[in-house]
Amino acid sequence: ISNAVNAAGDGDTVLVSNGTHAITAAIDVTKNLAIRGLGGNPSNVVVDAGGLCRGFFISGTTNALLSGLTVQHGSNSLYGGGAYIYSSTITLTNSSVAYNLATGSLTDGRGGGMYVNNSSLTLDNTQVHDNAAGTSGGGIRLYNTSTLNLLNGSELYNNMDTSGDGAALAVSGSGDLQINVSDASFYQNTASGSGGAIDLRGTGILSFTGAWDLHHNTAGIDGGALAIYDTADAQFHNGPGYFSYN
């Protein structure tokens, strides 16, 4: 996959065949590419880092796409086990980010599934599950001037923090932080600190529209489903939306 990505030009599409594709170094994406799994079924097209490296490092893109893929078993001792996204705009559609780890000693690490820094990330019918981080964002860590859109049945579930906050999603920073949730669910996430599903800090603005659901999330300190600190704000529009069994 890395060879194909390196050979591709801006605007090209890289097609990934069915099967499990083992990698030993992160796939670097620095161009506006579409990387698509053949057939569109993410369970059939798997990028497996085997615990040796993170899955993807994405930087400097303005229109990148991952579609029909699973990214699994990525690992990094600090940031972004599945993917580190920096100064980029990217969409994941019909994909899965699972079983990734951002921690070396289980006392540090941020963004087990994905670390998003000064970037815009859209998840469209995409699952982020069974990821872990040491200190924040077992599923996703959103940092600095960044935007996260969760759309069309996307789910964050079974993510955990071993010694921190925001098991599914941790948000912090002083820039323009926007989180837009529409037709998305957070469930069965576990934080040892605050924010069983979401820990919202800094200047983050969290907006719920359309259908959404936060259920069966657990926190060791504050906010079984949602913890809000600093000047952060959560807004609830339309619906239906549910908090239950947190």
Side-chain angles (χ1 to χ4, degrees), residues 2-216:
S2 288
N3 289 339
V5 167
N6 292 338
D10 258 6
D12 285 352
T13 296
V14 174
L15 297 177
V16 184
S17 61
N18 288 346
T20 298
H21 301 267
I23 62 172
T24 57
I27 298 169
D28 288 343
V29 179
T30 58
K31 309 165 190 172
N32 297 319
L33 299 177
I35 302 175
R36 296 181 180 273
L38 285 175
N41 185 341
S43 64
N44 292 338
V45 183
V46 178
V47 177
D48 193 322
L52 301 175
C53 58
R54 66 165 56 101
F56 284 85
F57 181 77
I58 299 162
S59 64
T61 71
T62 58
N63 187 24
L65 172 70
L66 299 182
S67 179
L69 301 172
T70 291
V71 181
Q72 68 180 29
H73 298 144
S75 181
N76 189 271
S77 61
L78 291 175
Y79 306 136
Y84 189 112
I85 302 166
Y86 179 70
S87 292
S88 294
T89 297
I90 184 167
T91 297
L92 273 68
T93 183
N94 192 30
S95 292
S96 177
V97 179
Y99 306 106
N100 300 288
L101 183 66
T103 178
S105 63
L106 298 184
T107 57
D108 197 7
R110 300 167 176 86
M114 289 176 282
Y115 190 93
V116 183
N117 186 359
N118 287 321
S119 295
S120 177
L121 170 65
T122 296
L123 302 184
D124 184 345
N125 187 31
T126 289
Q127 285 66 52
V128 179
H129 66 91
D130 293 284
N131 303 286
T135 58
S136 62
I140 300 171
R141 169 74 184 274
L142 194 71
Y143 186 62
N144 283 335
T145 301
S146 293
T147 298
L148 174 64
N149 303 303
L150 301 174
L151 310 172
N152 297 327
S154 291
E155 298 177 317
L156 281 76
Y157 63 92
N158 286 352
N159 301 290
M160 68 175 295
D161 289 316
T162 59
S163 61
D165 309 310
L169 171 63
V171 180
S172 66
S174 58
D176 184 15
L177 284 156
Q178 300 284 334
I179 307 95
N180 305 302
V181 179
S182 181
D183 188 21
S185 298
F186 297 76
Y187 58 93
Q188 294 179 347
N189 301 288
T190 303
S192 62
S194 299
I198 303 170
D199 186 81
L200 184 65
R201 299 177 186 247
T203 57
I205 303 295
L206 173 61
S207 178
F208 291 92
T209 60
W212 52 269
D213 189 13
L214 288 83
H215 66 89
H216 294 97

Side-chain angles (χ1 to χ4, degrees), residues 208 212-215 225-226 236 241-246:
F208 291 92
W212 52 269
D213 189 13
L214 288 83
H215 66 89
L226 171 62
F236 303 88
Y242 303 95
F243 288 92
S244 55
Y245 303 102
N246 298 290

